[in-house]
Amino acid sequence: VRALEMVQAMQSTENEGNGSQILIVNIDGTGSIEEVWDTTENAMNSYIKNDILTANSNLLKAIEDGDIKAFNKLCADNLSIEIIKGDIRERYNSISARDLFEKHETKMTSNVASISNASIQILDGVKAFVSYENGGSRERREWHHGPKGWKCVSLSKEKLP
């Protein structure tokens, strides 16, 4: 543990105080079982949130950079997409990451810097939803965790009024 704490401190210094890739959480085992469990659960949820938000950020960066290879690595083999414009809903199932990227991402997603009103919802530690406003649309991405990490499995985009 001490060695990991040293690595965490060194990385934080190297990153000019902007943190480390390692996060160590010390959990005090004193208290009731419920208190210790709540502390442990909060620590694990923070790890999961960080992983999902990093994957989502990397996906948006791949879109911004036009990097289809990086985009493919972060998406499931077959995705679903829903585009909502007022009362009109278009649904596509089992589309490839390349089709999603070429037909929907590059046309509708604007600069990553325009992201606002973000939220994250984690379900059972292996499924999560990240939603945010981006360039006049509300986007909601569903993520699943598998053997190769977090993968985007679906996207919903709704044009904001």
Side-chain angles (χ1 to χ4, degrees):
V1 174
R2 298 289 175 238
L4 290 173
E5 289 173 342
M6 288 175 51
V7 170
Q8 181 183 24
M10 290 181 347
Q11 285 182 346
S12 184
T13 302
E14 289 174 10
N15 293 334
E16 299 175 4
N18 289 326
S20 168
Q21 291 84 359
I22 296 175
L23 176 63
I24 298 170
V25 177
N26 293 311
I27 298 172
D28 185 3
T30 59
S32 71
I33 291 173
E34 290 81 15
E35 291 170 333
V36 173
W37 174 253
D38 287 344
T39 303
T40 304
E41 185 177 43
N42 289 336
M44 293 306 296
N45 283 343
S46 72
Y47 285 123
I48 294 168
K49 284 180 185 177
N50 184 54
D51 282 353
I52 296 163
L53 292 175
T54 298
N56 200 79
S57 177
N58 290 340
L59 186 74
L60 294 175
K61 178 88 171 98
I63 294 166
E64 183 180 26
D65 294 345
D67 187 347
I68 184 68
K69 191 173 184 178
F71 185 84
N72 276 334
K73 286 182 182 179
L74 293 163
C75 291
D77 292 336
N78 292 300
L79 298 110
S80 61
I81 182 171
E82 179 179 50
I83 306 294
I84 305 166
K85 297 176 186 173
D87 293 337
I88 300 170
R89 290 179 181 263
E90 299 174 34
R91 290 181 190 254
Y92 307 94
N93 292 315
S94 298
I95 67 169
S96 70
R98 177 172 291 283
D99 283 346
L100 173 64
F101 185 82
E102 292 175 351
K103 295 177 182 172
H104 300 285
E105 296 289 8
T106 54
K107 290 181 182 176
M108 294 187 69
T109 303
S110 62
N111 191 325
V112 172
S114 69
I115 300 293
S116 62
N117 298 324
S119 68
I120 184 168
Q121 178 185 14
I122 300 170
L123 305 173
D124 67 30
V126 294
K127 184 177 180 180
F129 297 94
V130 177
S131 64
Y132 46 85
E133 291 177 11
N134 182 14
S137 293
R138 182 85 187 160
E139 297 182 5
R140 183 173 192 247
R141 295 184 188 273
E142 181 178 347
W143 293 85
H144 289 185
H145 192 273
K148 295 183 179 181
W150 289 98
K151 299 282 186 180
C152 181
V153 298
S154 74
L155 168 65
S156 175
K157 290 188 181 191
E158 182 173 3
K159 196 77 172 156
L160 295 173

